[in-house]
């Protein structure tokens, strides 16, 4: 990109780079982050492409916020302490208004997750946002997908299916009352990575994953990694008032079981361990393999790009 455009981007993003673990932020060849003694680095990267991961008319604030939340959700799922992130941005044009709004969304997420933006890369092309997150874990602990044991309870945070319902609203397939439209769109556009919950679960949960592809698909990853079966009870699924108000309970249940983009956590707790507030028991771990929800529902593999 020409220098003037780069200056623009630098102006929007260079103020978001301060943090507890940041020794050197945007402006040099690398950022330098500090790990405490006895810690190791957890890292993950996620890409969002316009028209694939969000509709083309999504507000730029929401695009920025959601891209960071989706990436930060992987830190939550590991129980990691956020250190910082980098942002690889591909833009069709250096539109100052767009960039301003986008950077506001990024800034909101930086503040919420204490996840400073310490570097990145900027190129021209179809709108694509890639966020790499960096977090710290104790040397001896992490929330992995493997580790669930027969007898453990299966839990989820928050409510499920809201983001999938929001897409149905956007597609004109469902028209709930206005306040619930607002609630659902907010759940799609402004998902909250469960960072605090993940850190609370570290050392408590036997397995964990964030729900990005739908409960059945993501619970399937825990089952596969743990060598166990996860039995999910559809009647126990936590539904928001918006979904409980749907005229078809079957549709609401299907969104909760197979809808992606909620970024809640699914985790397993050994018997006798109390779940944190805001979490709901949805099933049990059993000997066997796969996920069984007692319904004839394709155990959706999640969104497949290829
Ligand atoms: P280099 O040529 O060394 O890769 P760049 O010109 O790509 O450097 O970037 C210069 C500085 O600006 C670097 O510190 C880089 O991390 C930062 N930077 C570039 N693009 C972004 C972005 N989209 N968000 C945050 N920081 C960025
Ligand atoms: Mg570069």
């Amino acid at each position: 990109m020409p220098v003037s455009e780069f200056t623009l981007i630098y102006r929007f993003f260079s103020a978001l780079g301060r943090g507890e673990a940041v020794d050197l932020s945007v402006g040099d060849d690398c950022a330098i982050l500090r790990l405490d003694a006895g810690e190791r680095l957890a890292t993950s990267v996620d890409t969002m492409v316009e028209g694939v991961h969000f509709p083309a008319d999504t507000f730029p604030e929401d695009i920025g916020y959601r891209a960071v939340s989706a990436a930060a959700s992987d830190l939550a799922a590991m129980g990691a302490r956020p250190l910082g992130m980098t942002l690889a941005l591909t833009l069709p044009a250096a539109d100052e208004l767009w960039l301003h709004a986008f950077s506001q969304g990024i800034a909101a997420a930086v503040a919420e997750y204490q996840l400073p933006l310490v570097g990145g890369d900027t190129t021209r092309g179809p709108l694509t946002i890639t966020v790499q997150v960096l977090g710290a874990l104790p040397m001896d602990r992490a929330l992995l997908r493997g580790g669930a044991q027969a007898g453990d309870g299966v839990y989820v945070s928050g409510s499920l299916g809201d983001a999938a319902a929001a897409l149905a609203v956007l597609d004109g397939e469902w028209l709930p009352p206005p306040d619930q439209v607002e609630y659902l769109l907010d759940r799609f556009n402004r998902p909250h990575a469960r960072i605090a919950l993940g850190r609370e679960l570290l050392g408590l949960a036997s397995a964990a994953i964030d729900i990005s592809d739908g409960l059945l698909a993501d619970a399937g990853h825990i089952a596969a990694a743990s060598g166990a079966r996860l039995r999910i009870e559809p009647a126990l699924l936590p539904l928001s008032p918006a979904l409980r108000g749907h005229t078809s309970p079957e549709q609401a249940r299907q969104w909760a079981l197979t809808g992606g983009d909620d970024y809640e956590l699914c985790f397993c707790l050994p018997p006798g361990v109390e779940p944190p507030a805001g979490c709901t028991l949805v099933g049990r771990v059993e000997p066997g393999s796969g996920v069984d929800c007692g319904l004839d529902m394709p155990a959706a593999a999640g969104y497949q790009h290829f």
Side-chain angles (χ1 to χ4, degrees), residues 6 9-10 13 25-29 87 89 117-122:
F6 186 76
I9 286 152
Y10 190 84
F13 296 126
S25 192
V26 171
D28 216 307
D29 295 312
L87 169 67
L89 197 51
L117 176 61
V118 300
D121 195 31
T122 309

Side-chain angles (χ1 to χ4, degrees), residues 109-272:
V110 166
E112 179 173 341
Y113 306 128
Q114 297 291 295
L115 189 64
L117 176 61
V118 300
D121 195 31
T122 309
T123 52
R124 188 194 299 277
L127 182 60
T128 305
I129 300 106
T130 297
V131 177
Q132 182 190 31
V133 289
L134 307 157
L137 279 170
M139 215 52 95
D140 58 348
R141 268 182 295 165
L143 293 178
L144 305 182
R145 296 176 178 189
Q149 303 270 353
D152 290 352
V154 181
Y155 297 82
V156 298
S157 60
S159 59
L160 298 182
D162 290 329
L167 285 175
V169 171
L170 287 172
D171 288 344
E173 291 162 12
W174 182 35
L175 189 60
D179 57 321
Q180 304 202 329
V181 169
E182 199 183 322
Y183 164 82
L184 291 171
L185 295 184
D186 201 62
R187 287 277 287 159
F188 178 82
N189 288 316
R190 312 287 284 199
H192 299 285
R194 302 298 178 194
I195 296 284
L197 175 61
R199 295 184 68 184
E200 191 179 344
L201 291 173
L202 195 61
L204 289 182
S206 53
I209 192 168
D210 63 320
I211 306 176
S212 53
D213 289 334
L215 177 62
L216 290 185
D218 290 315
H221 295 312
I222 290 184
S226 301
R229 171 171 22 244
L230 269 61
R231 176 171 299 284
I232 304 291
E233 300 293 344
L236 298 179
L237 296 176
L239 302 182
S240 64
L243 261 65
R244 284 201 303 272
H246 197 283
T247 50
S248 161
E250 293 75 29
Q251 176 63 85
R253 192 176 61 196
Q254 192 190 330
W255 282 327
L257 284 170
T258 64
D261 299 322
D262 284 324
Y263 300 106
E264 297 294 348
L265 296 184
C266 172
F267 56 94
C268 301
L269 294 176

Side-chain angles (χ1 to χ4, degrees), residues 288-299:
S289 63
V291 177
D292 186 349
C293 69
L295 297 167
D296 191 17
M297 204 166 286

Side-chain angles (χ1 to χ4, degrees), residues 27-179:
D28 216 307
D29 295 312
C30 283
I32 303 178
L33 303 179
R34 217 172 331 100
L35 289 170
D36 290 342
E39 283 184 336
R40 53 192 175 155
L41 185 69
T43 185
S44 169
V45 65
D46 268 302
T47 292
M48 292 215 170
V49 179
E50 182 180 56
V52 177
H53 300 91
F54 56 90
D57 57 0
T58 305
F59 290 126
E61 293 99 310
D62 292 336
I63 297 174
Y65 182 90
R66 184 165 176 269
V68 176
S69 291
S73 178
D74 285 319
L75 291 181
M78 297 298 286
R81 174 173 71 90
L83 293 173
M85 67 172 154
T86 60
L87 169 67
L89 197 51
T90 301
L91 299 170
D95 173 341
E96 190 165 353
L97 277 180
W98 191 95
L99 273 167
H100 175 71
F102 176 77
S103 70
Q104 300 280 99
I106 299 278
V110 166
E112 179 173 341
Y113 306 128
Q114 297 291 295
L115 189 64
L117 176 61
V118 300
D121 195 31
T122 309
T123 52
R124 188 194 299 277
L127 182 60
T128 305
I129 300 106
T130 297
V131 177
Q132 182 190 31
V133 289
L134 307 157
L137 279 170
M139 215 52 95
D140 58 348
R141 268 182 295 165
L143 293 178
L144 305 182
R145 296 176 178 189
Q149 303 270 353
D152 290 352
V154 181
Y155 297 82
V156 298
S157 60
S159 59
L160 298 182
D162 290 329
L167 285 175
V169 171
L170 287 172
D171 288 344
E173 291 162 12
W174 182 35
L175 189 60
D179 57 321

